């Protein structure tokens, strides 16, 4: 009997002792059910032959072959920017919400870490841009990268770089440099997503960066899902020792933006190691404010989030341009 049914029985003439039923209700509200089931590390329960998709209460549900402990769900949503939440259950009657991305833009493959929980049923309900085309790729108790994530209130703070094409991040604003744009082997998406590939060591003067002209546009990246971030790292194009002033804004819905880095008067160059107060991030907007180059463009070679180097190496005094040094009083 669930809590509602127990409450109804409390007032029934069939129950002789109110004290007994009150004790049962109190116990049901406070105890944690100690289900006995399987704990199989790194076994994918979402194999094609072992689960079946069904529709329930406006959502898409799968049932595992047997109750199991899980901490990781990976699924693909065939929709541009859906929002959703995920609930789990043992009995298909009482549901517990483990992921709530109802107010955040998401895309493509979702890699979701949750606190270990014992489940049999998993239900996803889309709240925006519903497609009902959901493919569960992995449902498991994942130990491979468990040490690389921190779970806070159902949200994930990763220690690995999530601003990668391989992690389904994409560039939604930014112009590929002219040389690479005319190379036949590069598709438009490959050219634009060049800053999201970790082959920055091979970039050269006319290849492997994005730009925007000052006072016209910006460079924007969308992550696959919301992540808790507190650092980033960027490489500014620096073959001519150019300097740049810039700002960085973030958003979870592409409507409300917060500024996290303001270097609009700093004359920066080359590698930028950025640290800020931890916050939820889906979109990253980088806007050039000033530059020393002749064509008035802000050029970005690489973006990384979170930073994959020690934050202890952040320079407290920003690099100053020669013009600033000569004009210093």
């Amino acid at each position: 009997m669930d809590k509602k049914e127990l409450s109804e029985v409390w007032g029934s003439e069939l129950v002789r002792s109110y004290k007994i039923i009150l004790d049962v209700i109190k116990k049901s509200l406070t105890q944690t059910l100690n289900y006995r089931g399987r704990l199989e590390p790194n076994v994918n329960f979402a194999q094609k032959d072992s689960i079946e998709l069904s529709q329930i209460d406006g959502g898409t549900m799968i049932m595992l072959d047997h109750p199991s402990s899980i901490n990781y769900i990976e699924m693909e949503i065939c929709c541009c920017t859906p929002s959703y939440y995920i609930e789990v259950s043992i009995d298909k009657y009482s549901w517990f919400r483990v992921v709530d991305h109802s107010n955040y833009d998401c895309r493509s493959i979702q890699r979701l870490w949750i606190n270990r929980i014992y489940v049999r049923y998993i239900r996803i309900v889309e709240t925006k841009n519903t497609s009902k085309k959901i493919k569960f790729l992995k449902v498991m108790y994942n130990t491979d990268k468990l040490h690389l994530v921190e779970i806070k209130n159902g949200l994930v703070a990763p220690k690995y770089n999530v601003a990668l094409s391989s992690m389904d991040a994409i560039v939604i604003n930014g112009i590929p440099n002219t040389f690479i744009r005319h190379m036949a082997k590069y598709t438009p998406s490959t050219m634009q997503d060049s800053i999201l590939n970790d082959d920055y060591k091979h970039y050269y003067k006319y290849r492997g960066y994005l730009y925007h002209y000052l006072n016209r546009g910006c460079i924007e990246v969308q992550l696959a899902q919301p992540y808790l971030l507190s650092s980033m790292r960027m490489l500014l194009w620096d073959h001519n020792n150019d300097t740049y002033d810039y700002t960085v804004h973030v958003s979870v819905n592409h409507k409300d933006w917060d500024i996290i880095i303001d270097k609009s008067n700093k004359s920066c160059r080359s590698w930028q190691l950025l640290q800020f107060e931890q916050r939820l991030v889906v979109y990253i907007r980088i806007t050039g404010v000033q530059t020393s180059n002749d064509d008035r463009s802000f050029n970005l070679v690489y973006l990384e989030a979170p930073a994959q180097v020690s934050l202890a190496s952040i320079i407290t005094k920003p690099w100053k341009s020669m013009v600033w040094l000569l004009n210093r009083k």
Side-chain angles (χ1 to χ4, degrees), residues 27-28 30-38 67 69 90 116-119:
K27 186 177 180 181
S28 71
T30 58
Q31 73 175 355
T32 300
L33 295 178
N34 185 25
Y35 290 111
R36 294 178 60 86
R38 300 188 183 183
S69 291
I90 280 291
R116 174 180 165 183
I117 192 169
Y118 186 73
V119 305

Side-chain angles (χ1 to χ4, degrees), residues 76-260:
E76 183 174 14
I77 304 179
C78 300
C79 186
C80 185
T81 54
S83 301
Y84 62 90
Y85 61 84
I86 294 179
E87 296 178 328
V88 298
S89 176
I90 280 291
D91 54 11
K92 204 167 60 172
Y93 190 92
S94 298
W95 294 88
F96 179 73
R97 190 168 298 188
V98 292
V99 175
D100 193 347
H101 291 172
S102 301
N103 299 314
Y104 314 130
D105 290 352
C106 306
R107 66 173 306 276
S108 191
I109 296 178
Q110 305 293 285
R111 298 169 175 88
L112 308 170
W113 291 87
I114 61 177
N115 291 317
R116 174 180 165 183
I117 192 169
Y118 186 73
V119 305
R120 179 76 186 275
Y121 303 92
I122 303 171
R123 175 175 68 184
I124 174 172
V125 179
E126 295 176 272
T127 59
K128 189 187 77 170
N129 296 338
T130 58
S131 66
K132 298 191 182 300
K133 294 181 179 179
I134 300 169
K135 182 179 180 181
F136 283 86
L137 304 175
K138 294 180 181 179
V139 176
M140 61 195 305
Y141 183 73
N142 189 345
T143 64
D144 288 341
K145 289 187 177 181
L146 186 57
H147 62 293
L148 296 177
V149 296
E150 186 177 355
I151 303 170
K152 297 183 177 181
N153 298 321
L155 300 168
V156 175
K159 297 179 182 179
Y160 50 85
N161 182 19
V162 295
L164 287 168
S165 297
S166 59
M167 292 293 292
D168 296 284
I170 59 169
V171 173
I172 56 179
N173 270 309
I175 308 170
N177 58 306
T178 305
F179 181 83
I180 194 172
R181 195 187 309 165
H182 294 295
M183 295 179 68
K185 67 178 181 178
Y186 290 98
T187 65
S189 61
T190 301
M191 292 186 294
Q192 200 168 43
D193 291 344
S194 62
I195 65 170
L196 304 180
N197 297 320
D198 53 5
D199 59 350
Y200 55 84
K201 294 180 180 179
H202 303 103
Y203 99 97
Y204 55 93
K205 189 171 183 178
Y206 299 112
R207 175 185 170 186
Y209 66 89
L210 292 183
Y211 71 92
H212 79 85
Y213 291 112
L214 300 188
N215 302 315
R216 283 190 290 166
C218 59
I219 294 174
E220 282 184 355
V221 170
Q222 180 185 355
L223 305 179
Q225 65 193 64
Y227 290 103
L228 287 169
L229 299 177
S230 59
S231 68
M232 297 180 191
R233 187 168 68 131
M234 305 190 307
L235 176 58
L236 305 177
W237 190 88
D238 60 353
H239 274 283
N240 294 332
N241 291 323
D242 291 333
T243 63
Y244 304 90
D245 303 358
Y246 64 89
T247 60
V248 181
H249 292 74
V250 296
S251 174
V252 295
N253 55 18
H254 208 254
K255 297 177 182 178
D256 306 308
W257 294 87
D258 295 317
I259 187 168
I260 58 169

